[in-house]
Amino acid sequence: MTTNTNQSWNPDTYARNARFVSDLGAPVVELLAPRAGERILDLGCGDGVLTRKLAEMGCGVVGVDASAPQVQAARRLGLDARVCDGARLAFDAEFDAVFSNAAIHWMKPANDVIAGVWRALRPGGRFVGEFGGDGCVATVKRALIDALRRRGIDGDALNPWYFPTVEDYSTRLAHRGFSVRYIALIPRPTPLPTEINGWLEMFAQSFMAPLADHDRADFIDEVCKTLRPDLCDGGGKWSADYVRLRFAADKPRA
């Protein structure tokens, strides 16, 4: 999923702490409107749960992800999944659609990703996806950066995420030649299946890279205490302040 070497993915931990990511992917699948017989590339397929749904709809699906353990998990579902950096796609006019859910914000070379998608699509193909947009997990990110600053570390330099505005991403798509059919920011506060420390351990690894192993637990505890007033309700249920950028863009036939 990610090109960031400080971020790793354990499929079992991912399933326990982040299954909501694929569970909440139904609206973007609806926007994709896959048709049986189409050939679709799932960009950042993770453990393949959504990829399998596309295959079950009669599509010929290839999943790509930068995480070898996640690709192995997808292959265990019987999928054609391949280890691949999303910024270095090497397909040439092979797909009717490229689909992506909750992955592109890990791929900071945005123009390289878009260019690879363009090459991968046949004329008339479509690029449909959803990922973190402007303002996504802003409260969490601020708490992480502030906690690092108190330790004399530049947290902004460790930020692994690309959360664009509508204007930013639509301009990049149009510059490559796509016709943007739909694009919108969607605030989506998301209940978490565990306390937020599980989310931090899964998704905020890049911020903790400079910390010694024995310092990480105290760091996470400090961040959790900062976040509790904003992201934990009276019943002890945590949520994350997600904002999603959902889009559909078409590659012209001519």
Side-chain angles (χ1 to χ4, degrees), residues 137-237:
V137 294
T139 305
V140 177
K141 186 172 72 171
R142 183 171 60 250
L144 288 163
I145 290 172
D146 287 348
L148 287 170
R149 185 179 299 113
R150 288 190 287 271
R151 289 161 171 80
I153 298 170
D154 181 3
D156 284 306
L158 298 169
N159 177 20
W161 301 315
Y162 165 63
F163 294 145
T165 63
V166 165
E167 292 75 17
D168 177 350
Y169 207 64
S170 59
T171 298
R172 292 175 189 268
L173 289 167
H175 181 74
R176 176 50 57 181
F178 282 102
S179 174
V180 180
R181 175 166 27 108
Y182 169 84
I183 189 166
L185 278 177
I186 303 169
R188 195 191 69 199
T190 302
L192 300 178
T194 66
E195 294 188 0
I196 203 164
N197 60 327
W199 190 99
L200 293 169
E201 290 166 0
M202 171 62 64
F203 294 116
Q205 295 171 32
S206 295
F207 291 98
M208 292 183 276
L211 303 177
D213 290 346
H214 62 268
D215 291 331
R216 294 187 180 190
D218 287 343
F219 175 80
I220 289 175
D221 286 345
E222 181 180 329
V223 173
C224 288
K225 288 177 182 176
T226 300
L227 293 174
R228 183 175 292 276
D230 293 316
L231 299 181
C232 186
D233 66 18
K237 299 294 185 182

Side-chain angles (χ1 to χ4, degrees), residues 1-7 66 84-88 106-109:
M1 183 180 298
T2 175
T3 58
N4 188 329
T5 56
N6 291 323
Q7 178 71 33
C84 178
D85 186 331
R88 295 178 174 85
W106 293 103
M107 306 174 194
K108 275 192 158 181

